[in-house]
Amino acid sequence: MQEFIERRLYKRYVTVISVNRKDGSLVPIYIIWEDGTRYKIDQIIKIINAKASEVGGVGKMYQVRIGRHIRNLFYEKNRWFVESHKP
């Protein structure tokens, strides 16, 4: 029998390099991790006004593809965060 392990999610604030277009849209280009590693956002799959993420907070949710991985990137009150399994 496989044991169920609950994996709690945390808000992990990150640095994001983005472009603010003349039409007012905000486009994230890179996510920069705490250790300085830079991850290029290969594709923005969708942008929605999120009422709340699993870790709380409101704002815009950008579902992005980084390599083969899909992540939810949130823009909340002038800063960015991702949902992470590590605080």
Side-chain angles (χ1 to χ4, degrees), residues 23-85:
D23 66 2
S25 61
L26 189 60
V27 181
I29 307 297
Y30 289 96
I31 296 174
I32 302 174
W33 215 244
E34 294 167 346
D35 66 0
T37 305
R38 189 182 280 205
Y39 297 97
K40 181 169 183 352
I41 295 171
D42 297 310
Q43 178 186 12
I44 297 173
I45 298 166
K46 66 181 172 181
I47 303 169
I48 62 170
N49 288 320
K51 296 192 191 287
S53 76
E54 288 187 44
V55 293
V58 295
K60 288 205 181 287
M61 184 197 79
Y62 294 74
Q63 188 175 63
V64 298
R65 184 176 57 79
I66 301 168
R68 296 178 306 174
H69 302 281
I70 304 295
R71 294 297 298 261
N72 293 332
L73 174 65
F74 294 86
Y75 186 68
E76 169 196 58
K77 297 180 185 173
N78 299 324
R79 58 186 183 164
W80 297 90
F81 73 88
V82 293
E83 296 166 331
S84 173
H85 292 288

